[in-house]
Amino acid sequence: KKRNPLPDDIRAAKGGTPLVSLTAYTTPMAQMMDAHCDFVLVGDSVGMVLHGLPSTLGVTMEMMILHGQAVARGLTSAMMVIDMPFGSYEESREQAFRNAARLMAETGAGAVKLEGGVEMADTIAFLVARGIPVMAHIGLTPQSINTLGGYKVQGRGAARDEALADADAVAQAGAFAVVLEKVPETLADEITARVSIPTIGIGASAGCDGQILVVDDMLGLFTAFKAKFVKRYAHLGDDGAAAIAAYAEEVRARTFPAAEHVFADAAAKK
Ligand code: KIV
Ligand code: NA
């Protein structure tokens, strides 16, 4: 793994060893994954997995900046990408630039990610031309659940051509990579073959140029629901609940704190 990869290094990884990525929202999580990931995404999924929001729509610039700053403190080698939250970039390319610049300046992120295909191509080109590397995100775009009609697989059947057009549009606009979320495997493979930038799959295909998961999902920390595309590599939520139950029992039995956790009087100190 290259130290401190830049967007151009990510772009150059097209067709090579798959890019490894996870989301992070806090310093310790960022530290845990820093040595293993090519890039770390401060995802707006933070709203759902850490703040208990029902969707990503309620995530604010201030939340992204605070979590971005925390993640930056935990990274020394992985690149950091930060999500633009709902409402911070859709209105105009100027609005998008203003908020993307603020996210990068206040967190130290090396790039921003925003959702959308053909309709966001102008904005992507505007940002890239002004010094802001952009990761695109097409297929299922969770900020649009209210118009997509839920968290359904995207790009099936007649919608396939629209998804291909979205992929072409963001690549031509200058995005350095594109997240493909919850699309059929054959569509992900077709997009990966036709665009010159790396595809980062989540619920897409092992043939993508990289993969990303929400870290709380893959660690089994977020258990409100589990998407089909999530693989749980650990069950930290269950482990945590068992640890808390053991603590509660020991407190009530007065077996915690034990001798090694308490202090002698200063005069008697060894
Ligand atoms: O917010 C997020 O976690 C994301 C990834 C799932 C791609 O956008
Ligand atoms: Na996101």
Side-chain angles (χ1 to χ4, degrees), residues 67-88:
H67 287 286
Q69 290 170 340
V71 168
R73 291 180 199 118
L75 296 181
T76 61
S77 73
M79 188 177 84
M80 179 170 139
V81 180
I82 190 164
D83 262 346
M84 300 201 71
F86 179 65
S88 73

Side-chain angles (χ1 to χ4, degrees), residues 5 29 43 82 86 99 113 116 136 142 156 166 175 177 179 184 220 223 225 241 256 264:
M29 283 288 199
I82 190 164
F86 179 65
N99 285 315
K113 179 166 78 59
R156 273 185 173 147
D166 284 337
V179 170
T223 53
F225 62 88
F256 176 85

Side-chain angles (χ1 to χ4, degrees), residues 91-152:
E91 197 178 323
S92 68
R93 31 193 226 169
E94 289 79 9
Q95 181 212 24
F97 181 85
R98 191 160 55 244
N99 285 315
R102 185 171 167 220
L103 286 171
M104 287 179 69
E106 295 188 25
T107 69
V112 300
K113 179 166 78 59
L114 55 80
E115 297 181 5
V118 169
E119 74 284 7
M120 291 312 299
D122 268 359
T123 298
I124 293 171
F126 189 86
L127 298 189
V128 173
R130 286 158 181 76
I132 298 185
V134 178
M135 180 174 288
H137 181 160
I138 65 171
L140 175 64
T141 46
Q143 293 174 10
S144 302
I145 39 154
N146 292 306
T147 47
L148 292 175
Y151 296 96
K152 295 181 280 207

Side-chain angles (χ1 to χ4, degrees), residues 130-218:
R130 286 158 181 76
I132 298 185
V134 178
M135 180 174 288
H137 181 160
I138 65 171
L140 175 64
T141 46
Q143 293 174 10
S144 302
I145 39 154
N146 292 306
T147 47
L148 292 175
Y151 296 96
K152 295 181 280 207
V153 178
Q154 300 294 308
R156 273 185 173 147
R160 191 179 181 100
D161 286 344
E162 286 166 46
L164 292 170
D166 284 337
D168 289 343
V170 299
Q172 276 159 27
F176 70 93
V178 57
V179 170
L180 306 181
E181 179 165 353
K182 208 167 180 183
V183 295
E185 186 181 28
T186 58
L187 174 58
D189 290 342
E190 186 175 349
I191 291 172
T192 300
R194 76 192 257 144
V195 300
S196 62
I197 56 173
T199 56
I200 312 298
I202 174 163
S205 167
C208 287
D209 300 301
Q211 302 293 328
I212 188 165
L213 283 175
V214 169
V215 69
D216 289 62
D217 281 341
M218 62 89 76

Side-chain angles (χ1 to χ4, degrees), residues 5-66:
L6 299 166
D8 275 351
D9 300 314
I10 300 292
R11 186 197 292 271
K14 175 80 187 175
T17 305
L19 291 160
V20 178
S21 181
L22 287 169
T23 65
Y25 319 107
T26 63
T27 306
M29 283 288 199
Q31 286 169 334
M32 202 185 295
M33 66 184 69
D34 184 41
H36 305 285
C37 289
D38 296 294
F39 70 89
V40 168
L41 172 72
V42 186
D44 64 349
S45 50
V46 67
M48 297 175 77
V49 304
L50 286 200
H51 294 271
L53 291 171
S55 75
T56 57
L57 300 181
V59 175
T60 63
M61 282 288 291
E62 286 64 34
M63 288 165 75
M64 295 309 299
I65 287 167
L66 279 173

